[in-house]
Amino acid sequence: MIKIIENPDNLSFVTNIAQMGSIAEYPLHARNIQRAYETKHDYFLVVSQTVVTQWIKKMASRYPQGTFIFETVDARRAMEEHWKVPIPASVTNEEILQTGLLTLDIQPQAGYSFEDTLLAHFYAPIFTAKTFPFIQLPAILEVADREIWKANNIVPLLARTLRTRQQEWKDKASSSEQRQFIDLFAADSAKLKQQIIQFRVLRSYPQLGEALLGEQFTLFNLLKLALEDLQIEEARIPETVLQVTYQLNEQLAQSPEDAAALVERVSGLLMVEFDTIEKQLIRNPDWITTTMVEQIESKFASLARKIRRRWAALRDMIRPPKPELPDLNWDVDTMLTWATGRYLPYQAWCDAQEQFDPELYPIGDRFSEWLVNHWLDLHANSKRMVFNILPNKAVELNKPGYIHLVLVVDNLGWSFSEILRDLFQEQGYFLSHTEPYLAMIPTETEISKKCLLAGGVGYTAIDDKTYKGMIEKGWVPYFSDNAFRYISDIGSLGKIETVDASTYVVNYLAVDK
């Protein structure tokens, strides 16, 4: 059999059949046809030149009837060859050519029909769903681009394919409310998205919702739409934000219970809601409790990136319990737990809120009395003095295969430790252990810092007076030659090109400066 496939429009399609590129190749293919006939082999040839087709038809007249078969390639066949999917009978050659499908680099996904492939490429993959994706409503609203739809609507094949899919969605809808919603989506997806953004906020303000959205508010409520992933764009709903602001201004809390009820009522999606609640709490700091702050953090979780530091400021306003008088007979662990867990948090809170509490003086004096009474024993036996820090970590600092970083921050109070923890956590470093130590007496930076770095039990016992010498020479007998490197400031740390020590001690001067 000799099959000649006419391709007068030079349509591009996938085939492994020989193709005649130019009229000059005719003699070669004519000989191949003759040889195939003589050897009783099949021969297939694609011809795009009309005159060559006529020549071959004249040649065929000299052969037995049925030896030659002539076919013409149209856009539909080329499309099916290219995509390997059936083309609906309703799709014409002209529509395929008008849409430019043969020249586009489109690869149908496994299981996609012709219509699915068009919808995925010209609209979005989510449009291949056979039922309207209510559970993915935020996703389909996000990709329903008005300008793309407008451009596609002037291409008959694309416009008809989208309308057909929307009708399929309506036919498979389980309620009249769902069908009504699909009609709204088909009519104006951008307007519907704005209404849905409004609705997500106004669910917490039903009277406003009915006033601003009318029947749509009732419809959306009945559908119980899943909108947790819908991003609230306040700029798109200025009237809603304004009306919510008016309503919030009329809801001044008169008690902590009122404030908690207000937090519960708001949507938690608008900055004005948080602003209103924050102002009322700042005016009434006694209302701020851990429970209240946790309620606010939960309600406004979607705004966390914008207001995280303001959450922290509210949390800082929570009045800690007033510390009790310490017992002069407490051991060092009990006293340090009391100091870091009770006394220092309360003292820091008083400082931050500019509240003077004269009762702190006798409490602090009692700690001073305990420290003086126990000083000799603490200094000699407790292992909780500042000069014990590096020796206590000897096992960890000697672990092979690890590089350690020790940051020494002068004049940073214990109350800032939580801020440090949060800053490190933002960079992916998580606190695993906290251990307070006692400073030297007198509590001067120069004394405690040198005792820390040298492991010296007293300032006068330290031979080397330079920080670098203390760190890099003083610890050699206990660790090794390359145990420690001293870095004078944080900027110098970034200049290190070769890691030649197991522990780097960095003097952090930014707080001093």
Side-chain angles (χ1 to χ4, degrees), residues 234-467:
E234 293 191 26
R236 295 186 63 155
I237 53 171
E239 180 62 21
T240 299
V241 175
L242 182 63
Q243 293 300 324
V244 168
T245 302
Y246 289 151
Q247 184 157 323
L248 289 173
N249 289 339
E250 298 173 356
Q251 300 182 17
L252 296 177
Q254 302 299 322
S255 67
E257 292 74 22
D258 287 349
L262 179 59
V263 175
E264 190 61 32
R265 283 198 303 273
V266 300
S267 71
L269 302 169
L270 301 179
M271 284 300 302
V272 67
E273 295 174 322
F274 180 79
D275 293 342
T276 300
I277 292 167
E278 181 187 47
K279 288 176 184 176
Q280 295 192 34
L281 291 178
I282 290 175
R283 292 193 198 105
N284 302 277
D286 291 342
W287 296 357
I288 304 174
T289 63
T290 300
T291 300
M292 171 67 76
V293 174
E294 288 176 351
Q295 182 186 9
I296 291 172
E297 290 176 350
S298 176
K299 173 63 73 167
F300 290 94
S302 65
L303 301 177
R305 294 184 64 183
K306 296 180 180 179
I307 60 177
R308 189 180 302 278
R309 294 197 182 279
R310 292 167 71 180
W311 285 352
L314 286 177
R315 191 174 286 278
D316 289 342
M317 293 177 68
I318 300 172
R319 180 190 288 271
K322 183 175 293 187
E324 70 279 16
L325 275 172
D327 192 314
L328 293 176
N329 294 317
W330 280 350
D331 62 24
V332 64
D333 290 328
T334 303
M335 184 60 76
L336 287 177
T337 299
W338 168 86
T340 56
R342 303 280 290 186
Y343 178 80
L344 291 175
Y346 186 76
Q347 181 196 51
W349 182 86
C350 289
D351 287 343
Q353 304 306 317
E354 298 182 352
Q355 294 200 19
F356 175 71
D357 187 348
E359 294 183 14
L360 277 177
Y361 286 106
I363 295 174
D365 289 343
R366 178 67 68 91
F367 172 79
S368 298
E369 185 180 352
W370 173 87
L371 184 62
V372 171
N373 291 344
H374 293 78
W375 178 252
L376 293 178
D377 182 58
L378 291 169
H379 191 271
N381 301 310
S382 74
K383 298 296 183 184
R384 298 302 293 276
M385 298 298 300
V386 66
F387 54 78
N388 297 126
I389 292 178
L390 291 178
N392 285 353
K393 301 296 179 184
V395 173
E396 293 177 39
L397 296 175
N398 272 319
K399 281 184 179 178
Y402 285 84
I403 304 299
H404 306 278
L405 182 65
V406 179
L407 297 181
V408 181
V409 188
D410 296 347
N411 299 320
L412 191 68
W414 178 267
S415 59
F416 292 98
S417 59
E418 290 190 3
I419 295 177
L420 278 178
R421 177 202 63 197
D422 293 343
L423 290 171
F424 272 96
Q425 187 167 314
E426 288 177 7
Q427 301 300 322
Y429 296 91
F430 296 90
L431 182 69
S432 62
H433 184 62
T434 302
E435 190 173 29
Y437 283 79
L438 289 165
M440 302 299 291
I441 296 179
T443 56
E444 296 179 6
T445 297
E446 179 72 8
I447 295 174
S448 283
K449 188 171 181 179
K450 287 195 172 183
C451 289
L452 159 67
L453 297 179
V457 298
Y459 182 72
T460 57
I462 300 173
D463 295 330
D464 198 319
K465 302 302 181 183
T466 68
Y467 294 144

Side-chain angles (χ1 to χ4, degrees), residues 1 3-8 45 47 53 69-74 77:
M1 177 180 64
K3 179 182 284 189
I4 306 301
I5 302 172
E6 300 175 76
N7 185 17
L45 178 64
V47 177
T53 303
I69 296 176
F70 290 86
E71 292 183 0
T72 301
V73 171
D74 58 11
R77 178 179 172 185

Side-chain angles (χ1 to χ4, degrees), residues 106-167:
I106 302 176
Q107 296 298 325
Q109 298 293 318
Y112 274 15
S113 66
F114 177 78
E115 296 89 340
D116 289 338
T117 304
L118 291 182
L119 291 168
H121 179 78
F122 289 99
Y123 295 93
I126 197 170
F127 283 81
T128 63
K130 298 304 186 284
T131 58
F132 187 82
F134 283 99
I135 61 173
Q136 296 176 282
L137 182 58
I140 196 168
L141 289 175
E142 181 65 27
V143 299
D145 189 297
R146 175 187 292 177
E147 294 305 315
I148 292 177
W149 284 30
K150 185 178 179 180
N152 290 343
N153 198 46
I154 63 176
V155 182
L157 177 59
L158 300 182
R160 186 173 73 249
T161 302
L162 179 61
R163 287 197 302 270
T164 301
R165 180 54 49 92
Q166 290 167 343
Q167 186 59 49

